[in-house]
Amino acid sequence: MIRKVKPQIRVVGFDDGTFSFSSKLQREKTILIGVVMKGSQEVVGVLSRWITVDGKDATEAMIDAISSSRFKDLRLILLKGITYAGFNVVDLEELHRETGLPVIVVVRKRPDIGAMEAALRKHFPDAEERLGLLKKAPPLVEMIPEKLYFQAAGVDEKTAVEIIRATTRTGLTPEPLRLAHMIASAVMTGESKRE
């Protein structure tokens, strides 16, 4: 439980790399990058794992990356969405339970759950299992109207807002997520992409 949010709170932010169905390698796997930072100021380290495009291993990869790392003083996990590598859905409850860390999902656009549900039902025989993970996730909270939303597991909404602010340097995206995005895109395409 986080009682007071310090400016140097130690967090890890995860994002994935791009993938392409025209490239055999990128059709099967993409990189998952976790950037460990003190608040929004100092990068302490980087974690990486490969995850399966449209697979079911994103949650496990994050748990493994955190639990096997040397970063034992992490206080929180930031995610850039609940789906990675296509429809590789993160089980937020399991991630929180297995790591013992609160989880905050930060997104810039309100997800279209109806479109996600339709795509899952059309393309995945295990659609109900994946939809179950989406439906059991904490409710989406609008932090900045039509610009920033979050979901929080293991931390209250007020504290989640404080953490998002403490980890954001410029713009709307927390710095660990912004850097994870840049690194992951550079690994997959040869250069970083703008967020």
Side-chain angles (χ1 to χ4, degrees), residues 53-80:
V53 173
D54 289 335
K56 295 161 89 174
D57 56 356
T59 306
E60 194 177 299
M62 290 175 187
I63 293 168
D64 179 63
I66 291 166
S67 63
S68 64
S69 80
R70 63 182 171 85
F71 306 108
K72 303 303 178 196
D73 55 353
L74 290 172
R75 302 291 311 278
L76 183 115
I77 302 166
L78 289 168
L79 301 181
K80 196 168 182 188

Side-chain angles (χ1 to χ4, degrees), residues 10-192:
R10 185 81 57 116
V11 301
V12 59
F14 284 101
D15 199 9
D16 59 347
T18 57
F19 60 92
S20 166
F21 289 111
S22 62
S23 162
K24 182 171 173 28
L25 172 66
Q26 290 184 17
R27 182 173 53 234
E28 296 170 1
K29 297 277 187 181
T30 193
I31 195 78
L32 176 71
I33 295 291
V35 173
V36 180
M37 291 188 72
K38 289 181 181 178
S40 67
Q41 300 301 313
E42 182 183 344
V43 176
V44 179
V46 178
L47 308 172
S48 69
R49 294 293 185 275
W50 290 94
I51 56 174
T52 310
V53 173
D54 289 335
K56 295 161 89 174
D57 56 356
T59 306
E60 194 177 299
M62 290 175 187
I63 293 168
D64 179 63
I66 291 166
S67 63
S68 64
S69 80
R70 63 182 171 85
F71 306 108
K72 303 303 178 196
D73 55 353
L74 290 172
R75 302 291 311 278
L76 183 115
I77 302 166
L78 289 168
L79 301 181
K80 196 168 182 188
I82 193 171
T83 60
Y84 285 74
F87 279 109
N88 198 327
V89 184
V90 176
D91 184 333
L92 300 181
E93 286 180 9
E94 182 181 351
L95 182 59
H96 169 54
R97 183 180 63 249
E98 293 298 319
T99 62
L101 298 172
V103 181
I104 300 174
V105 177
V106 180
V107 293
R108 299 281 302 272
K109 294 179 184 174
R110 181 180 291 278
D112 185 341
I113 301 299
M116 291 172 77
E117 186 171 340
L120 283 167
R121 289 189 194 287
K122 181 177 179 181
H123 299 289
F124 293 88
D126 63 349
E128 292 307 317
E129 181 182 344
R130 294 174 197 248
L131 284 168
L133 293 176
L134 292 173
K135 290 177 181 175
K136 79 174 188 176
L140 193 68
V141 177
E142 189 173 51
M143 183 171 160
I144 300 173
E146 298 183 27
K147 290 189 177 179
L148 195 68
Y149 305 84
F150 70 88
Q151 295 169 282
V155 63
D156 63 79
E157 288 181 17
K158 181 179 177 288
T159 305
V161 168
E162 289 179 41
I163 292 167
I164 293 168
R165 287 186 177 139
T167 57
T168 303
R169 185 184 300 176
T170 59
L172 297 174
T173 303
E175 196 69 4
L177 295 178
R178 192 181 74 77
L179 293 175
H181 176 78
M182 290 175 67
I183 295 166
S185 63
V187 169
M188 297 306 289
T189 67
E191 69 176 330
S192 61

